[in-house]
Amino acid sequence: MSADDDDAEVVIDLTDLAGEEYVVFGIQYIADGTGGGSSSVTISNLSLIADECPDYVYYTWTAQFGSTWENSENWDLLDVPGSDAFVVIPSGVDAPVITGEHSAGIVMVEATQEIVMESGGALMLDAFLGEGTMTVKRNVTGDFGYSILGAPVQGYDVADLGADLAYTYEDGYADASLLSMDPGLGYFVAYDVDGDVELSFTGVPEVDNIEIELPATDDDFHLVANPYTSAIATVTFVGTNDVALVSNAVYFWDDGGMNDGASRAGGFVTYVPGVGATGVGGLKGTGPASSGYIGTAQGFFVEASDNIMFTNGMQTTGEMEVANSDDNFYRKVSQEIKKLKLSLSGAGLYNDIIVGLAEDATLGRDKAYDAKKFGASDEMSFYSLINDDKFAIQAVPTLSNDPIKVDLGFDLAEAGTYKLAVEQFEGFADNMEVVLTDNVTGTSYVLTSGAEINFSTGAASFDTRFSVAFRFVDVLSVDNLSSDLKVFGGADQLTINFASDRSEVVNIYALDGRLAFSEVVAFENDRAVISASLNRNQVYVLRVNDEAIKFVIQ
């Protein structure tokens, strides 16, 4: 709506909008981009008017030195707009191109004009006005690898993606090639081309709050996607949907490249804010999820029992060049959590889990921490157990007096030799011990950072092959000393006599509780020899499984 001259009055009658929320701006715009201000606005038939509108700094795009949004000389104020900006992009000049991460309060794009956002760029918006458009680019996986994505602009169809395969999760991975892309919903797509594929979404960018009405499913898992032109903060998404979510976990598909001849099929990276992420050995790994951001157009699964909300306030530019970068696209709780991250690998496959200790966790399922195993591969699946349910991430209470045990299981399609490895060992005090037990062989292992354990198994499912126990270590207690355990030798080599003809966990502690030696040692004829670097004239405690003895090297 415009006036023919500067003194003309424009009257807006909002009778038909009674009861609706609105913001009215009075803008005087001079076509050559040299001026700005406010013209008079007369409003009638309203019972309530907001006290004031936000104060904006008005910027006009001039494109004087090219198309780079980040170049301050391309703006009339010789400064790059920020979140308090009202930005006008006039027609008749080069379109601005965004490569970094930016914000602008309100953007008005004239007819026949557009804003181009390169893959990895971001523009956080409060409102988008005018008859122009925005083109949002996003790089996704080619080589018939699957990506999950949604549309960051309105009125886009799945057919516009030009994908060779397109599916929805609802209705059992039904063909989606003829569907429109509803804002906030996610879609599986794959392309039969070499290398990455650059997609271009052109239209009016989404800025409104969106409520996703979720259809009923058998497992409460639903496929959604970030609908905005900037990244959203995972922790804000989870907090906004606290009532609807069954779990705080979000799940990202990490393709392994099997459709293009690779040995890995891929699987879901599971992320719980404040706890961490578990992966499956795909092409991207857990890094993007662990960043705490969900990039533009990124699709992901949630476990929810009610409608999901996306709000404009979830948007963030995070750390510049990080939140919405391609590296964060799959093609943080204040308390300290003690975390054990274990991986299972072999036969070219990989899976990991997290078991942690948190003050307010329980032995049952905790919404804030526990994440079910979702979309497990037929070739390999590694998990912890709560009752009979399988989990990728699980928290238990912090220790009091009694040890806490968690059962671990796996599904394997091939027999062979596999490896368990400690990928993360974080927050455990010196007087705490984490013990992994092989319930088939009866062997126990005290876990430390970087520990690795090899084992052989058939092709089968074992829900309780292993268990991990968290416990306090009272290494100095005289009550635990064993007269059946003997040790001889010097500072560099010790001979241990212990009634065993198999491998045992051997630990040596200093009196301050520091772990001086820890290995799985092979005993033969009740005897083993170890190499250790110990100090003379210092008292140590030797522990073999649950038996202990004090000794000193003279």
Side-chain angles (χ1 to χ4, degrees), residues 6-7 47 56 60 62 69 93 104 124 170 193 200 203 207 224 308 356 365 380 383 426 439 466 499 507-508 532:
D6 293 344
D7 296 326
S47 58
Y56 287 95
T60 299
T62 65
W69 179 285
V93 297
M124 190 167 68
E170 321 298 348
V193 296
S200 293
V207 295
V224 296
I308 291 294
R365 185 175 184 184
M380 172 186 284
Y383 48 84
E426 182 179 296
N439 296 312
F466 294 96
N507 292 315
I508 299 176

Side-chain angles (χ1 to χ4, degrees), residues 22 31 42 70 89 104 155 194 198 240 289 315 318 336 341 398 456 477 536-537:
Y22 62 89
T42 300
E70 290 86 355
I89 311 295
D194 294 334
E198 184 182 75
T240 301
Q315 294 185 87
E336 178 185 352
K341 189 172 187 177
T398 51
S456 296
S477 173
R536 295 187 181 277
N537 301 315

Side-chain angles (χ1 to χ4, degrees), residues 98-102 117-124 134-139 152 201 225-233 284 288 291-299 314-331:
I98 297 172
T99 57
E101 299 192 13
H102 298 276
M117 190 175 89
E118 298 288 354
S119 188
L123 183 61
M124 190 167 68
M134 185 168 180
T135 294
V136 180
K137 298 181 180 182
R138 188 90 260 188
N139 292 329
F201 299 88
N226 174 9
Y228 301 116
T229 54
S230 70
I232 61 174
K284 281 287 189 178
S291 73
Y293 304 116
I294 302 172
T296 294
Q298 174 70 71
M314 293 177 184
Q315 294 185 87
T316 178
T317 55
E319 298 178 23
M320 197 60 67
E321 311 300 336
V322 172
N324 208 39
S325 71
D326 274 350
D327 288 339
N328 273 358
F329 189 87
Y330 278 95
R331 352 165 200 159

Side-chain angles (χ1 to χ4, degrees), residues 213-384:
E213 295 184 7
L214 301 178
T217 61
D218 294 335
D219 54 11
D220 278 340
F221 282 94
H222 301 274
L223 186 53
V224 296
N226 174 9
Y228 301 116
T229 54
S230 70
I232 61 174
T234 310
V235 68
T236 309
F237 170 84
V238 168
T240 301
N241 292 287
D242 178 65
V243 174
L245 292 175
V246 176
S247 164
N248 285 0
V250 293
Y251 300 80
F252 304 92
W253 175 255
D254 190 10
D255 200 276
M258 179 171 282
N259 286 345
D260 193 44
S263 60
R264 297 190 301 271
F268 287 94
V269 171
T270 306
Y271 175 66
V272 175
V275 179
T278 63
V280 292
L283 299 178
K284 281 287 189 178
T286 58
S290 300
S291 73
Y293 304 116
I294 302 172
T296 294
Q298 174 70 71
F300 57 100
F301 277 90
V302 293
E303 189 179 6
S305 59
D306 204 347
N307 292 348
I308 291 294
M309 288 292 300
F310 286 97
T311 67
N312 186 283
M314 293 177 184
Q315 294 185 87
T316 178
T317 55
E319 298 178 23
M320 197 60 67
E321 311 300 336
V322 172
N324 208 39
S325 71
D326 274 350
D327 288 339
N328 273 358
F329 189 87
Y330 278 95
R331 352 165 200 159
K332 291 181 178 150
V333 183
S334 59
Q335 66 163 303
E336 178 185 352
I337 298 175
K338 299 171 177 62
K339 284 183 276 191
L340 168 67
K341 189 172 187 177
L342 276 177
S343 68
L344 173 64
S345 60
L349 302 169
Y350 177 94
N351 228 199
D352 59 29
I353 61 172
I354 290 176
V355 181
L357 277 66
E359 290 181 1
D360 55 348
T362 69
L363 295 178
R365 185 175 184 184
D366 299 302
K367 174 181 177 179
Y369 303 113
D370 302 333
K372 274 190 172 182
K373 196 75 176 183
F374 175 64
S377 165
D378 293 335
E379 291 82 12
M380 172 186 284
S381 180
F382 185 36
Y383 48 84
S384 64

Side-chain angles (χ1 to χ4, degrees), residues 21 25 90 150 165 185-186 202 204 245 262 304 308 320 332 337 343 355 370 390 449 461 468 480 494 523:
E21 295 182 3
F25 294 92
L165 297 173
L185 291 183
T202 299
V204 176
L245 292 175
I308 291 294
M320 197 60 67
K332 291 181 178 150
I337 298 175
S343 68
V355 181
D370 302 333
K390 301 175 180 180
S449 180
S461 297
V468 61
N480 290 339
L494 295 175
F523 281 79

